[in-house]
Amino acid sequence: MSIKSNSDAVSYAKVINSKTAADTADRIEWVKVSLAFLPLATPVSDAKVLTGRQKPLTEVAIIFAEIRSRDGYEGIGFSYSKRAGGPGIYAHAKELADNLLGEDPNDIDKIYTKLLWAGASVGRSGMTVQAISPFDVALWDMKAKRAKLPLAKLLGAHRDSVQCYNTSGGFLHTPLDQVIKNVAISRESGIGGIKIKVGQPNTAEDIRRLTAVRKELGDDFPLMVDANQQWDRETAIRMGRKMEEFNLVWIEEPLDAYDIEGHAALTASLDTPIATGEMLTSYREHEQLILGNASDFVQPDAPRVGGITPFLQIMALAHKHGRKLAPHFAMEIHLHLAATYPQEPWLEHFEWLNPLFNEQLELKDGRMWVSDRLGLGFTLSEQALAWTVDKCEFGKKP
């Protein structure tokens, strides 16, 4: 560069003294992964237990990730497994963790892709992406905190609260009289909808329980049922027709989660909407569900599909094709994501994870409200630490 004047010299000095985004970027310096087991007070049974395919659920494995950056920002995320799989997810998360060190925590999609390919030889769905979820969620938590916003506001919310339904009071191990009491308790607490489990071998018992709950709720209060994949196609269409009279919001998982054609046929045949998708573990699987016109409601689960990054892609595709949204479980994460969906979604209420966090969500007037706390708005409780059975750290704690 030829310098001909003082102004040229000033311009040249500015050029050589300027810094790029890479020069000033924050960096991940410390990652902690831990495994905890959350015990359930009562063993839980849905239709998979009554058909002999699973044992009652007694605990939930939680895989936490805590990430801190050089500039002092931090994020917390989690994944989970019911019954088998928790230790396997934790083991793979430990294999992946050091891939985060040195990365700019703002480059979440880049990091997700890096982690996905790090474990690609064992697949890009299932346990491999569930091991990515704690990191991805923690990075989004950190990014929102850096912006001094709740995650819903960082992403761009369409609403400040989401209509919310309860599932935990209507499992099949619960006697009908207690289910009715649970329904009353949920309504008094401010819940906006009730879901009960069906799909047991005695279909007449399903109808008996459903009839009693509908009577308790009245004709118009939102009511859903969930068969947990335990009907064949013939039973599903027959039960679906019997249930038309109950004015249900949806029938959930009437068929095997991967029976796209069967779900599409039910969706086209019944007036009652069909909901499914919670067991799918990747964007591609949800893409098949959505493009196959296999449900009215999609039910992705961020910890199961790989975190918030693929969940946002699923939401975009679902909205493009006019699907409604009802995320599965993990309301602590899904409240923020559901608040950003253009169509009015539903949020599933499970109080199971409450002991893990110092903060709680606010439920009133049938809706769960986004708090003004930054990020996801949670910190780990002493109880979560007490239930932790193993942990591993990577890098140097800032």
Side-chain angles (χ1 to χ4, degrees), residues 73-133:
Y73 294 98
E74 58 184 46
I76 297 174
F78 69 90
S79 188
Y80 73 93
S81 180
K82 299 175 182 177
R83 300 179 177 86
I89 296 172
Y90 173 62
H92 191 50
K94 290 193 297 181
E95 291 181 303
L96 298 176
D98 65 357
N99 286 282
L100 286 92
L101 298 177
E103 292 287 350
D104 183 342
N106 293 294
D107 296 335
I108 300 177
D109 190 68
K110 172 191 173 185
I111 296 171
Y112 179 83
T113 301
K114 182 179 183 180
L115 297 178
L116 188 65
W117 283 103
S121 70
V122 288
R124 285 181 282 168
S125 64
M127 188 180 293
T128 53
V129 299
Q130 291 172 41
I132 296 174
S133 295

Side-chain angles (χ1 to χ4, degrees), residues 310-323:
F311 191 101
L312 294 174
Q313 297 170 352
I314 293 166
M315 282 206 307
L317 184 65
H319 175 57
K320 178 181 178 181
H321 292 275
R323 302 299 187 269

Side-chain angles (χ1 to χ4, degrees), residues 1-18:
M1 178 177 179
S2 176
I3 301 176
K4 299 180 179 180
S5 66
N6 288 338
S7 61
D8 287 340
V10 171
S11 298
Y12 180 71
K14 288 181 178 178
V15 170
I16 63 174
N17 290 323
S18 66

Side-chain angles (χ1 to χ4, degrees), residues 156-355:
H158 280 265
R159 59 195 63 80
D160 294 323
S161 65
V162 179
Q163 56 187 349
C164 187
Y165 72 94
N166 178 262
T167 293
S168 56
F171 277 89
L172 292 177
H173 68 274
T174 309
L176 181 56
D177 60 346
Q178 185 60 53
V179 171
I180 299 301
K181 292 177 182 177
N182 293 343
V183 165
I185 293 170
S186 290
R187 291 191 71 173
E188 290 171 4
S189 72
I191 206 72
I194 295 292
K195 187 173 79 180
I196 67 167
K197 300 290 186 173
V198 295
Q200 53 192 314
N202 183 353
T203 57
E205 180 63 13
D206 282 339
I207 297 298
R208 185 180 78 88
R209 289 166 69 94
L210 178 56
T211 300
V213 172
R214 174 48 86 194
K215 181 179 179 181
E216 171 69 20
L217 290 173
D219 293 338
D220 298 324
F221 192 84
L223 175 62
M224 306 84 161
V225 298
D226 183 357
N228 287 109
Q229 308 179 77
Q230 296 310 292
W231 290 332
D232 56 29
R233 292 186 181 186
E234 293 77 12
T235 303
I237 191 67
R238 186 172 67 252
M239 292 297 287
R241 286 171 177 160
K242 287 183 178 180
M243 291 179 175
E244 296 282 20
E245 65 179 279
F246 292 98
N247 188 28
L248 300 175
V249 179
W250 69 63
I251 298 172
E252 184 171 332
E253 285 200 315
L255 300 170
D256 185 281
Y258 296 99
D259 186 358
I260 302 297
E261 291 182 356
H263 277 103
L266 279 178
T267 300
S269 299
L270 298 176
D271 291 335
T272 304
I274 299 299
T276 192
E278 69 178 66
M279 298 305 299
L280 304 182
T281 58
S282 69
Y283 169 81
R284 293 299 182 190
E285 291 170 2
H286 279 278
E287 181 182 52
Q288 293 174 7
L289 179 76
I290 294 166
L291 298 185
N293 298 313
S295 69
D296 300 284
F297 285 85
V298 294
Q299 297 184 297
D301 181 319
R304 282 183 173 165
V305 300
I308 290 171
T309 297
F311 191 101
L312 294 174
Q313 297 170 352
I314 293 166
M315 282 206 307
L317 184 65
H319 175 57
K320 178 181 178 181
H321 292 275
R323 302 299 187 269
K324 295 182 179 179
L325 179 73
H328 170 255
F329 201 60
M331 62 184 183
E332 294 79 5
I333 299 171
H334 292 141
L335 171 59
H336 291 272
L337 304 181
T340 73
Y341 199 63
Q343 298 183 57
E344 179 71 43
W346 278 97
L347 182 71
E348 185 169 31
H349 178 267
F350 265 98
E351 70 281 359
W352 292 358
L353 304 187
N354 286 354

